[in-house]
């Protein structure tokens, strides 16, 4: 099918060097680093009217799972004015932060820091949804519609974020006012007020934070609180110092060089690196339950925590509420759980944005319909599309568990900037981990030279060969 082309004049249009689509933390990091690159004309567009980072999960007391140095710029350029420390200076909070001695920020403070940067960066435009992206072969440029305005660009970076996952078992209850994703938690928490039985599904950080918040806010009114997860154990996030080296450029390079089938298997197996809850949050849940049962039996509170329990089907109950058909993973035993409300803390996934439809035929998709992404985060395309199309946080299958991690955001942005400009805008380290992830280079012994033959004695030389 021919790629539909937008109408355009023959005159070469004025174009940006770089157009960023979406303004989450990753493209905001790219905008912050690009802000100081002389001669680079960049524009970043976001559909929302202002920067918002997981607003439904800015629960009081919730903290980041990465240190404050995982800000927009510091792990690439700590002298950059868009660093978190410079934000603190601007807010007159350096001394309070110093005395707080907190390496991990409150989620609310990280969100406020990002909004501080987004509101001041001149290359960021909010309320400007990019609805179409075309490739014009004559001009060798991308043409986008951003907020209804025509924008031309040599390179495009997609940072449109991820979408909440609603498990197939709950497909029949999609849109029900008492079944919703944790991404909406703060906005819809009040809708749980009349529920006397609440079930949280999912064992990651979001599930742990929702369950902890419900314990704090609903634990004394007799409401039954239930936490289900098909994961066999509520194991904490891997946070050992050497384990964290999986979130380094070294591991990303190693992972990218593996076969696709191996990469897919590793992403599933490494759930404890990027999908588990923090040990601190799990400890808070345990401490709260311990204190609540002083002087009473352990089962005095109407609280259930059930790992290794998969919800295979969810139905509307005959007398209101819901019936969850559950299967115990190890024994295979089935049970029906009746509940009044369900919060799905079931994660997020990258999806193909509709704005790519006009150029979809020019993208080299893999066998599963995913982007093929180079080590520099550039999407593989057909030869006639000569512009650079890059992605952020849509390459878990090619770059591994560090893809959604904020600690690698600034590094990825610097890699993209170096690729877009064709020069070393930011010098990046060649070694970032003590761990050697790749197999050792096989030892090949040097060839042993043959022993030298003795020189012939005078008078014993062989006769010359004649033709």
């Amino acid at each position: 099918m021919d790629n539909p082309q937008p109408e355009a004049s023959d005159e070469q249009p004025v174009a940006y060097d770089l157009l960023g689509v979406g303004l989450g933390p990753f493209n905001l990091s790219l905008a912050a680093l690009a802000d100081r690159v002389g001669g680079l004309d960049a524009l970043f567009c976001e559909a929302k009217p202002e920067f918002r980072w997981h607003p439904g999960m800015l629960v009081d007391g919730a903290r980041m799972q990465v240190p404050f140095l995982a800000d927009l710029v510091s792990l690439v350029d700590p002298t950059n004015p868009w660093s978190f420390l410079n934000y603190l200076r601007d807010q007159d909070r350096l001394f309070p932060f110093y005395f707080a001695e907190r390496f991990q920020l409150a989620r609310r403070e990280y969100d406020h820091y990002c909004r501080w940067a987004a509101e001041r960066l001149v290359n960021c435009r909010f309320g400007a949804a990019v609805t179409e992206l075309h490739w014009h072969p004559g001009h060798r440029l991308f043409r986008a519609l951003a907020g209804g305005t025509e924008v031309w660009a040599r390179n495009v970076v997609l940072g449109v974020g991820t979408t909440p996952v609603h498990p197939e078992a709950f497909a029949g209850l999609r849109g029900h006012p008492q079944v919703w994703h944790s991404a909406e938690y703060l906005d819809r928490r009040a809708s749980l007020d009349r529920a006397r039985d609440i079930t949280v599904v999912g064992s990651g950080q979001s599930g742990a934070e929702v369950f902890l918040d419900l314990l704090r806010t609903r634990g004394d009114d007799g409401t039954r609180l239930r936490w289900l997860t098909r994961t066999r154990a509520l194991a904490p996030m891997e946070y050992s110092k050497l384990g964290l080296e999986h979130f380094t450029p070294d591991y990303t390079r190693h992972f990218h060089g593996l076969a696709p089938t191996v990469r897919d298997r590793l992403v599933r197996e490494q759930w404890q690196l990027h999908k588990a809850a923090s040990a601190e949050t799990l400890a808070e849940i345990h401490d709260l339950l311990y204190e609540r049962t002083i002087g009473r039996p352990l089962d005095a509170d109407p609280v259930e925590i059930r790992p290794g329990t998969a919800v295979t089907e969810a139905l509307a109950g005959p007398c209101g509420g819901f019936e969850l058909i559950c299967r115990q993973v190890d024994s295979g035993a089935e049970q029906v759980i009746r509940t009044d409300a369900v919060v799905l803390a079931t994660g997020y996934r990258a999806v193909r944005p509709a704005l790519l439809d006009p150029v979809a035929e020019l993208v080299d998709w893999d066998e599963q319909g995913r982007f093929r992404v180079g080590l520099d985060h550039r999407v593989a395309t057909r030869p006639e599309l000569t512009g650079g199309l890059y992605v952020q946080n849509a390459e878990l299958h090619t770059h591994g568990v560090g893809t959604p991690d904020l600690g690698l955001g600034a590094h990825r942005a610097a890699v993209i900037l170096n690729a877009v400009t064709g020069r070393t805008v930011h010098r990046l380290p060649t070694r970032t981990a003590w761990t050697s992830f790749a197999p050792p280079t096989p030892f090949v012994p040097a060839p042993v030279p043959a022993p030298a033959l003795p020189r012939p004695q005078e008078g014993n030389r062989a006769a010359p060969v004649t033709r």
Side-chain angles (χ1 to χ4, degrees), residues 25 53 74 87 114 117 221 225 253 268-269 271 285 288 345 382 425 437:
W53 181 72
S74 289
Y87 155 81
C114 287
D221 64 4
L225 301 177
R253 286 191 291 268
R268 293 191 300 270
E269 293 176 353
W271 63 269
I285 291 172
L288 185 57
R382 286 167 52 177
V425 175
F437 297 103

Side-chain angles (χ1 to χ4, degrees), residues 392-405:
Q392 299 221 60
N393 200 14
E395 68 274 31
L396 179 66
H397 59 290
T398 58
H399 287 65
V401 294
T403 297
D405 191 78

Side-chain angles (χ1 to χ4, degrees), residues 62-68 84 97 102-107 109-110 113:
R63 309 198 73 81
M64 305 289 290
Q65 291 180 283
V66 292
F68 73 90
F84 176 74
F97 180 76
R102 290 280 194 172
F103 210 44
Q104 275 81 19
L105 306 178
R107 283 174 172 265
E109 186 166 29
Y110 178 78
Y113 154 65

Side-chain angles (χ1 to χ4, degrees), residues 9-288:
S9 66
D10 293 334
E11 185 179 349
Q12 187 72 8
V14 177
Y16 288 96
D17 298 307
L18 174 61
L19 171 64
V21 181
L23 269 167
F26 294 133
N27 257 1
L28 187 61
S29 174
L30 183 58
L33 289 173
D35 180 58
R36 302 194 74 194
V37 180
L40 180 71
D41 199 5
L43 175 67
F44 294 81
C45 295
E46 166 60 44
K48 298 184 182 69
E50 61 181 356
F51 181 91
R52 301 295 303 276
W53 181 72
H54 294 301
M57 286 303 299
L58 298 181
V59 181
D60 287 344
R63 309 198 73 81
M64 305 289 290
Q65 291 180 283
V66 292
F68 73 90
L69 284 175
D71 63 9
L72 300 174
V73 295
S74 289
L75 287 174
V76 167
D77 179 12
T79 67
N80 192 292
W82 303 111
S83 70
F84 176 74
L85 288 178
N86 200 44
Y87 155 81
L88 290 176
R89 179 179 179 275
D90 181 76
Q91 301 286 303
D92 290 334
R93 289 174 61 86
L94 271 172
F95 274 94
F97 180 76
Y98 168 61
F99 292 126
E101 295 186 346
R102 290 280 194 172
F103 210 44
Q104 275 81 19
L105 306 178
R107 283 174 172 265
R108 289 177 56 241
E109 186 166 29
Y110 178 78
D111 174 70
H112 190 263
Y113 154 65
C114 287
R115 284 192 282 122
W116 168 83
E119 291 166 2
R120 289 162 176 78
L121 281 164
V122 296
N123 57 13
C124 293
R125 183 187 300 173
F126 289 87
V130 177
T131 54
E132 294 181 24
L133 184 67
H134 299 264
W135 173 250
H136 194 287
H139 295 319
R140 298 169 69 88
L141 294 172
F142 289 102
R143 175 185 176 271
L145 289 181
T149 302
E150 182 180 84
V151 176
W152 296 84
R154 297 177 182 84
N155 299 277
V156 172
V157 181
L158 298 178
V160 295
T162 52
T163 301
V165 172
H166 293 259
E168 187 62 30
F170 290 86
L173 301 177
R174 188 73 181 265
H176 195 287
Q178 290 296 83
V179 179
W180 35 265
H181 196 273
S182 59
E184 305 175 86
Y185 180 67
L186 285 185
D187 295 330
R188 303 186 65 168
R189 181 172 57 181
S191 70
L192 302 175
D193 288 349
R194 295 186 179 181
R196 307 306 297 169
D197 187 300
I198 304 172
T199 300
V200 179
V201 179
S203 61
Q205 183 66 15
S206 295
E209 288 177 358
V210 168
F211 189 67
L212 177 60
D213 186 67
L214 288 171
L215 280 174
R216 288 170 171 162
T217 59
R218 299 295 302 275
D220 296 327
D221 64 4
T223 300
R224 177 169 292 278
L225 301 177
R226 185 181 299 104
W227 190 10
L228 304 179
T229 169
R230 63 184 176 186
T231 306
R232 285 184 168 86
L234 292 171
M237 180 84 75
E238 169 60 57
Y239 211 76
S240 66
K241 290 180 172 62
L242 288 178
L244 288 176
E245 290 195 340
H246 284 85
F247 300 95
T248 59
D250 286 25
Y251 183 72
T252 299
R253 286 191 291 268
H254 165 66
F255 185 91
H256 190 270
L258 299 173
T261 54
V262 176
R263 296 192 305 228
D264 288 345
R265 175 176 58 81
L266 282 175
V267 168
R268 293 191 300 270
E269 293 176 353
Q270 293 174 337
W271 63 269
Q272 206 169 343
L273 287 170
H274 66 120
K275 286 188 175 181
S278 71
E280 291 77 12
T281 307
L282 295 176
E284 287 186 69
I285 291 172
H286 187 276
D287 291 347
L288 185 57

